[in-house]
Amino acid sequence: MYTQALDVHGREPVPAAAAEVAAAAARFQARIDADEKIEPKDWMPDAYRQTLIRQISQHAHSEIVGMLPEGNWITRAPSLRRKAVLIAKVQDEGGHGMYLYSAAETLGISRAQMFEQLLSGAAKYSSIFNYPTLTWADVGAIGWLVDGAAIMNQIPICRCSYGPYARAMVRICKEESFHQRQGFEIMLTLARGSAAQHAMAQDALNRWWWPSIMMFGPSDADSKHTAQSMRWKIKRFSNDELRQKFIDITVPQARFLELSIPDPALRWDEATQHFSSGPIDWNEFHAVLKGSGPCNRERLEARRSAHQAGAWVRAAATAHAAKQAARALASQEARQA
Ligand code: FAQ
């Protein structure tokens, strides 16, 4: 694991005394303010490193756990085309998890440590993936709303101050845009289909709307990390700002689909030029975060059993690597003899 002690190779010397730490922190903040990217070997305050490890690893876990709700429908997709697209989409999410684990590793945490945090329940992943996918329309709703919310949150992360995270987000956002379009297309097909299909699309919207709104995190008043993360340009917008942008963009899309948003208080506010919406049920959000959502247990159980089932692959890969290393050493020794 990287520690501050390894930062001797970075731009800044390891600060020893308090005054030196303060000066290094001021230089670090000046680099952030000048929109410079921070790279893995640069000096950084430990709190910045820990914040990024927390956010990037939680983000990676979300992508991995996020494969489960839609993965549930691969065998039951209504056509070969839908099945092929869904397999590709779910596979993309797995890839996003891998880029993000790699980005977090540059901060000094190992992949094994991150897996351990997920499997032990110590690490969070997005609340949204603790809801069930009951019908095919849920696959449409996830693409449209969940990927839509993910894009809204993640486009600004392409400008995050930490280079490896920002760069990983560029490709992820391109793929998420495709995911959002495929979800919207499923919703459009259902909404313009039979009365039963329209009702299925409406039911999915009813169940996914509020959890999607909650994805953006606690309100700004309750968000403990936002202020510091914005100073460090890890976050460029607050949770409420992104939530509002998402609502403003999505309500007209729902109208185009001729579906109603399940919020009786929703209305256009001429004064603010935004939609204003009804209250969010934060009790539900906190219950899901504490592990009491509809699928929390099932999701962690699926990850734990997948990890267990993959033990032989890890053992085989480790044995293979050891064999290769021993062969390389033997041939090096033979050359030197
Ligand atoms: N669920 O002070 P804040 C996707 C936690 S990827 C669970 O506001 P922060 C792709 C938060 O971690 C979706 N926990 O925190 C896909 C913190 O807990 P801690 C994931 C949540 O970090 C689509 C505490 O509450 N996206 O969907 C949630 O400044 C379809 C206090 O909150 C990302 O991870 C939540 N919804 O802001 C895949 C994007 N919200 O650690 C498959 C990157 C908050 O102190 C299918 N992350 N918490 O114990 C972020 O932008 C931020 O981390 C936020 C939270 C905005 C999520």
Side-chain angles (χ1 to χ4, degrees):
M1 178 157 175
Y2 287 100
T3 66
Q4 295 292 328
L6 285 180
D7 290 336
V8 280
H9 302 299
R11 290 174 188 217
E12 297 285 346
V14 177
E20 282 177 48
V21 176
R27 282 194 294 273
F28 174 82
Q29 188 62 48
R31 291 188 62 201
I32 301 262
D33 294 344
D35 270 332
E36 274 185 47
K37 286 277 178 270
I38 306 299
E39 297 299 338
K41 291 190 171 175
D42 293 350
W43 184 86
M44 61 186 82
D46 196 50
Y48 176 83
R49 186 186 299 279
Q50 295 311 325
T51 297
L52 281 166
I53 289 177
R54 178 186 63 79
Q55 178 168 325
I56 302 173
S57 63
Q58 288 180 2
H59 191 167
H61 299 325
S62 303
E63 301 279 0
I64 298 299
V65 177
M67 296 167 78
L68 296 169
E70 289 165 288
N72 183 38
W73 278 90
I74 289 174
T75 55
R76 290 171 291 162
S79 69
L80 182 61
R81 173 175 169 260
R82 293 291 187 204
K83 190 195 276 270
V85 172
L86 184 57
I87 289 172
K89 198 260 187 203
V90 171
Q91 194 169 300
D92 283 353
E93 307 298 1
H96 299 172
M98 296 303 120
Y99 313 147
L100 289 163
Y101 283 129
S102 297
E105 280 174 320
T106 66
L107 291 153
I109 186 166
S110 72
R111 204 168 286 219
Q113 281 173 293
M114 289 186 272
F115 287 169
E116 168 53 29
Q117 289 171 355
L118 172 66
L119 300 179
S120 70
K124 291 192 170 74
Y125 59 86
S126 184
S127 50
I128 191 79
F129 301 118
N130 291 306
Y131 291 84
T133 40
L134 304 179
T135 72
W136 170 253
D138 290 12
V139 172
I142 291 180
W144 172 38
L145 300 174
V146 177
D147 285 279
I151 295 168
M152 191 55 80
N153 166 275
Q154 291 172 20
I155 294 273
I157 306 179
C158 298
R159 293 187 293 119
C160 161
S161 58
Y162 188 58
Y165 192 23
R167 290 188 287 273
M169 291 319 299
V170 174
R171 175 162 173 184
I172 291 178
C173 285
K174 285 184 181 159
E175 292 178 350
E176 299 292 26
S177 298
F178 151 68
H179 299 166
Q180 196 271 352
R181 295 305 294 261
Q182 68 87 37
F184 188 78
E185 198 234 340
I186 291 174
M187 293 302 275
L188 191 59
T189 306
L190 292 172
R192 296 198 174 157
S194 65
Q197 286 171 323
H198 187 279
M200 200 195 275
Q202 181 64 55
D203 171 62
L205 172 56
N206 292 348
R207 285 179 294 104
W208 288 93
W209 176 254
W210 289 106
S212 301
I213 296 297
M214 291 175 198
M215 259 182 91
F216 292 92
S219 68
D220 291 354
D222 293 327
S223 167
K224 56 185 169 177
H225 301 299
T226 295
Q228 182 59 67
S229 288
M230 287 182 74
R231 270 196 293 279
W232 279 331
K233 297 187 181 169
I234 294 172
K235 286 171 90 162
R236 296 281 182 158
F237 296 96
S238 74
N239 299 353
D240 285 339
E241 284 169 339
L242 292 172
R243 192 173 0 253
Q244 185 64 55
K245 278 171 185 264
F246 174 75
I247 293 171
D248 288 346
I249 279 194
T250 311
V251 172
Q253 293 172 356
R255 289 184 177 161
F256 182 80
L257 292 170
E258 295 179 11
L259 297 174
S260 9
I261 303 273
D263 177 358
L266 188 76
R267 63 182 175 81
W268 176 251
D269 185 334
E270 267 305 323
T272 62
Q273 291 290 298
H274 292 294
F275 284 98
S276 81
S277 38
I280 293 172
D281 181 355
W282 292 115
N283 290 334
E284 177 179 326
F285 175 73
H286 290 297
V288 173
L289 259 58
K290 285 199 184 101
S292 309
C295 298
N296 292 61
R297 259 167 215 261
E298 189 184 324
R299 299 295 183 234
L300 268 190
E301 201 34 57
R303 287 313 313 152
R304 285 182 188 134
S305 63
H307 192 70
Q308 222 168 4
W312 71 271
V313 179
R314 292 189 297 280
T318 308
H320 180 69
K323 217 189 270 180
Q324 295 285 91
R327 271 193 207 137
L329 187 66
S331 67
Q332 194 185 0
E333 281 170 356
R335 273 200 305 275
Q336 283 166 355

